[in-house]
Amino acid sequence: MKKYFNTIYVMLLTVFAFAVQSCDDDNTSGLRLDGSTRIESITVSGFPGVIDHTARVVSVNVSTDIDLTDLSIDAITLSEGATCDYPVGTKFDGTVPRSIKVVNGSVYTAYTLTVKHDNVEFLTFTLNGKYSGTIDNLSRTIQCFVPKEEDVTAMQVTFTVNEGTTVTPESGSLIDFSQPVKFTATQRTAVIRYTVTVIQDDMSQAPKAFIGNASAIEGLGEEAKAACRWMLENVPNSRYISIQDIIDGRVKLDDYTMIWCHFDWTDWPGQLWDSRDLFNSYWLHGGAILASRDGARYINDVWRIARDQQSPNNMFGGDSYETLTGNLGFTITGHESHPLYDGLTVDDANRIILLCQGCSNTNRTLQWGVDWDPYGSMAGWEERTGAKALASGHDYDINRVTIAEFEPYEALKGFTSGRVITIGTPAYEWYDRNGMDNPYRQNMIRLTKNAINYLCQ
């Protein structure tokens, strides 16, 4: 019997200790052992704060002339009997969030204090309810692509901005965009002018995405970053998507008609292995892919696009830059009338040049040797891969396929797979560390625009 009561006593002590610990640790609960622990009001360098008691966040917007590195607590009101570690007169650097601990007896609450300048941001921008603009809140510019036949002299603009910001002209206005238009956005002391430019272009308006292995464009390698920036600045209704966003479900590939995967050579295999089923499903259900540079590797057992599930069998280069001693391009292999080549110029040797002498180049090459085992010939390569050759290398060797196309087929019952184009020629590089004035860059641009429009059909 004594053992039984000892057991009960130990259990009661354990429950009591757990309850006390919960009260001490969970300072956000309704339990107030010795009083409330709230920040009722606060003023920082002359500006009042907005307090979110649920999220325990204090936000303060200050005028643009305030030095964020030299702020002070002018006034702070707490719950009765409470104290904090940021009393009146406290000096602090507000360029990073600060934690304010409010204590009342044996309980406390931690608030996060953030201070920022008055600022404006455009969140969305649309013309005539269907043409989405590309917003750059850093450069304060907005670009919007519309079809060539669209009347730009009277377009209705709709937009959204961050809370507290007003804009003139107002959302809903009818505006002539035949020339760039200035929009003035105001939030208290912040008065900023945005330049909106409307470009009439023959590019498809279908939604498109550039896929990268970094959370933001700035984290990409130089080659992928250069290609991505060109797309966002020149291709309507396009955006950047990180592979992690796809894996985490924050972005759905099915929302995009086509995607461009232009990877730096060090990406392999990376996060794409974790997203392999998502990319495969996208393609099987009709999603189109432009897979250039190391993007061409993933047609193998990752995306499962090639019939033999193999990458190009001749891959090399990419780890260092050299200066070209001559022009570099590719040759068309029997498909001169393909939409990919509309408007491209050829040199005297009937080659399509993309890079001129003097440009930097890593010679990153992803091509097929169709005369090698296990293919043995062009016919054997086509049968095994399910692809067709659109271009060969710079030196007319038709057995080296540098651009290929995988055409749609009924991959699933009731679904047709998407079209895929791979570009593995070493001439297809966007980043030139030498900064040359390349007279053949328009071939690169036209080739890419053609590919994107073709894949969006």
Side-chain angles (χ1 to χ4, degrees), residues 99-149:
S99 177
I100 300 179
K101 186 176 182 180
V102 182
V103 181
N104 202 340
S106 61
V107 294
Y108 73 89
T109 296
Y111 284 81
T112 299
L113 170 64
T114 60
V115 184
K116 61 182 180 180
H117 285 132
D118 293 337
N119 189 38
V120 303
E121 283 190 350
F122 275 84
L123 305 178
T124 63
F125 190 95
T126 307
L127 295 179
N128 288 357
K130 55 184 175 181
Y131 304 120
S132 297
T134 300
I135 301 167
D136 189 335
N137 282 305
L138 293 178
S139 66
R140 309 299 187 183
T141 60
I142 301 174
Q143 278 191 343
C144 192
F145 290 86
V146 301
K148 285 187 174 181
E149 63 273 13

Side-chain angles (χ1 to χ4, degrees), residues 347-455:
D347 68 359
D348 294 338
N350 205 35
R351 289 177 300 211
I352 294 175
I353 303 298
L354 301 182
L355 298 176
C356 71
Q357 178 180 340
C359 288
S360 65
N361 181 258
T362 67
N363 198 39
R364 184 56 177 157
T365 304
L366 295 99
Q367 64 186 6
W368 281 273
V370 300
D371 56 337
W372 297 352
D373 289 336
Y375 306 120
S377 66
M378 181 67 75
W381 173 78
E382 290 175 346
E383 180 180 357
R384 282 181 171 269
T385 63
K388 68 178 181 181
L390 299 183
S392 63
H394 184 80
D395 298 320
Y396 304 99
D397 186 349
I398 62 172
N399 288 316
R400 300 295 173 265
V401 176
T402 58
I403 300 179
E405 178 178 4
F406 295 82
E407 295 180 321
Y409 72 98
E410 189 175 1
L412 298 172
K413 186 175 181 180
F415 291 96
T416 300
S417 69
R419 191 181 301 275
V420 177
I421 288 180
T422 65
I423 301 178
T425 169
Y428 194 75
E429 289 194 9
W430 288 85
Y431 175 66
D432 177 17
R433 64 189 302 177
N434 293 343
M436 289 289 296
D437 183 13
N438 178 15
Y440 302 103
R441 186 169 176 82
Q442 282 306 312
N443 269 349
M444 175 93 77
I445 292 171
R446 188 74 251 174
L447 175 69
T448 309
K449 284 188 171 184
N450 288 344
I452 292 172
N453 274 342
Y454 181 60
L455 292 170

Side-chain angles (χ1 to χ4, degrees), residues 261-270 272-273 276 279 289-319 364-368 375 401-402 404 406 420-425:
C261 300
H262 184 81
F263 301 139
D264 289 300
W265 79 285
T266 54
D267 290 349
W268 178 267
L272 278 167
W273 183 259
R276 61 196 297 264
F279 278 84
I289 303 173
L290 174 58
S292 54
R293 196 168 166 89
D294 274 59
R297 299 181 75 171
Y298 295 92
I299 62 167
N300 64 352
D301 60 343
V302 179
W303 293 343
R304 287 154 278 169
I305 291 171
R307 191 175 296 164
D308 61 354
Q309 297 194 13
Q310 297 297 314
S311 301
N313 62 353
N314 188 204
M315 300 186 294
F316 53 88
D319 57 347
R364 184 56 177 157
T365 304
L366 295 99
Q367 64 186 6
W368 281 273
Y375 306 120
V401 176
T402 58
F406 295 82
V420 177
I421 288 180
T422 65
I423 301 178
T425 169

